[in-house]
């Protein structure tokens, strides 16, 4: 399988390396299987013969025209944490060759894969419109606002839709690369994951910091503060809207627009976040912690913790 990996100035070093490392490892381990899949022939392509990564390393590339021969195009992330600078890059002249390459691959029917901030480049090229995709959890509000025609799915680490595969935050590149291997050979993907000691991460929810997302909208930020002051109490959405000086419908819309979820689920996320913190930092019983975060029955909290973190309560203890 011929794979073209797009490298460009400012590319995220670990993202670029993860794709190569996982596929190289898969190639090296193919013969350990009774029925090995075909090898992956990986070529790094770029608009310049040499590009400088986000950490300052120089990477040699082949011309962009090689994408025409590829059976898969992989677009690693940009090493940029500032939303404004990220948008400026993916929409500006510096990324224009990359956008053209992505659009050309899509038009030719070539599957495309990307992770983290790289999904912004795909969205800017228009290849995600009308499809499901994911990105870094902390950039979700920015992505959702700029690309309303893309259905943002934050429930899974890797999302496939109409020939395009996207993955979550920075080290989601590893999950993305493993998904490429898994598509050809689940057994080989399992073997590679074991040798590289990569744990299964079905979603980003366990890593999400609710306050970081809420800060993207003043109404949602105020709602977050209001809820945090009342975690042990029953939460009333009409009371919250009244105290914040907005209508209940306005509050619901603000939460949905910014977080892609309902106010009720956001309250649950805040309660789970606080409960996990108390489990790590105190010796309180689950029953006591449940009462402190507004649950009468510890079983309810136990199920929420498992659902949001993917881990049993015992493993969350400090």
């Amino acid at each position: 399988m011929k794979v073209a990996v797009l490298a460009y100035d400012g590319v995220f070093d670990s993202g670029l390396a993860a794709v190569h490392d996982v596929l190289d490892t898969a190639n090296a381990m193919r013969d350990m299987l009774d029925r090995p899949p075909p090898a992956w022939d990986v070529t790094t392509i770029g608009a310049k013969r040499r590009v400088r990564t986000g950490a300052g390393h120089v990477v040699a590339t082949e011309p962009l025209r090689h994408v025409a021969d590829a059976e898969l195009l992989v677009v690693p992330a940009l090493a940029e944490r500032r939303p404004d600078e990220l948008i400026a890059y993916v929409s500006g002249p510096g990324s224009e060759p990359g956008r053209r390459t992505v659009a050309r691959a899509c038009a030719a029917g070539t599957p495309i894969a990307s992770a983290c901030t790289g999904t912004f480049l795909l969205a800017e090229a228009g290849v995600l419109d009308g499809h499901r995709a994911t990105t870094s959890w902390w950039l979700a509000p920015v992505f959702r606002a700029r690309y309303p025609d893309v259905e943002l799915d934050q429930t899974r680490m890797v999302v496939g839709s109409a020939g395009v595969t996207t993955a979550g935050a920075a080290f989601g590149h590893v999950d993305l690369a493993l998904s490429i291997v898994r598509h050809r050979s689940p057994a080989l993907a399992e073997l590679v994951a074991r040798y590289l000691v990569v744990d299964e991460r079905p979603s980003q929810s366990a890593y999400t910091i609710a306050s970081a997302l809420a800060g993207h909208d003043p109404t949602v930020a105020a709602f977050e503060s209001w809820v945090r002051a009342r975690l042990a109490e029953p939460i009333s959405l009409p009371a919250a809207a009244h105290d914040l000086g907005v209508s209940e419908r306005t509050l619901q819309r603000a939460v949905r627009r910014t977080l892609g979820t309902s106010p009720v689920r956001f309250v649950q996320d805040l309660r789970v976040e606080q409960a996990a913190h108390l489990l790590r930092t105190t010796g309180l019983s689950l029953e006591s912690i449940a009462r402190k975060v507004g649950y009468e029955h510890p079983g309810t909290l136990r199920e929420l913790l498992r659902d949001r973190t993917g881990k049993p309560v015992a493993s969350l203890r400090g």
Side-chain angles (χ1 to χ4, degrees), residues 5 43-50 59-66:
V5 181
T43 302
T44 303
I45 63 173
K48 301 189 300 183
R49 293 305 302 269
R50 284 178 172 77
V59 176
T61 70
E62 296 297 325
L64 291 175
R65 65 174 180 270
H66 285 278

Side-chain angles (χ1 to χ4, degrees), residues 25 29 178 182 188-199:
T25 302
M29 292 184 167
L178 281 173
R182 188 175 296 110
L188 183 56
E190 175 68 18
L191 190 62
V192 171
R194 286 181 176 275
Y195 270 81
L196 296 181
V197 194
V198 179
D199 294 328

Side-chain angles (χ1 to χ4, degrees), residues 114-204:
S114 187
C116 191
T117 55
T119 58
F120 279 73
L121 189 62
L122 269 57
E124 200 70 29
V127 304
L128 296 180
D129 287 353
H131 303 303
R132 288 183 298 109
T134 193
T135 191
S136 297
W137 65 263
W138 52 278
L139 287 168
V142 180
F143 189 98
R144 194 175 286 111
R146 184 166 180 85
Y147 309 113
D149 293 331
V150 182
E151 182 185 344
L152 191 61
D153 184 350
Q154 293 294 97
T155 64
R156 290 184 290 166
M157 183 67 77
V158 179
V159 175
S161 180
V164 181
T165 304
T166 53
F171 288 100
H173 287 86
V174 175
D175 303 85
L176 181 72
L178 281 173
S179 77
I180 293 170
V181 178
R182 188 175 296 110
H183 182 71
R184 289 294 179 96
S185 173
L188 183 56
E190 175 68 18
L191 190 62
V192 171
R194 286 181 176 275
Y195 270 81
L196 296 181
V197 194
V198 179
D199 294 328
E200 183 181 7
R201 296 174 295 183
S203 79
Q204 301 180 78

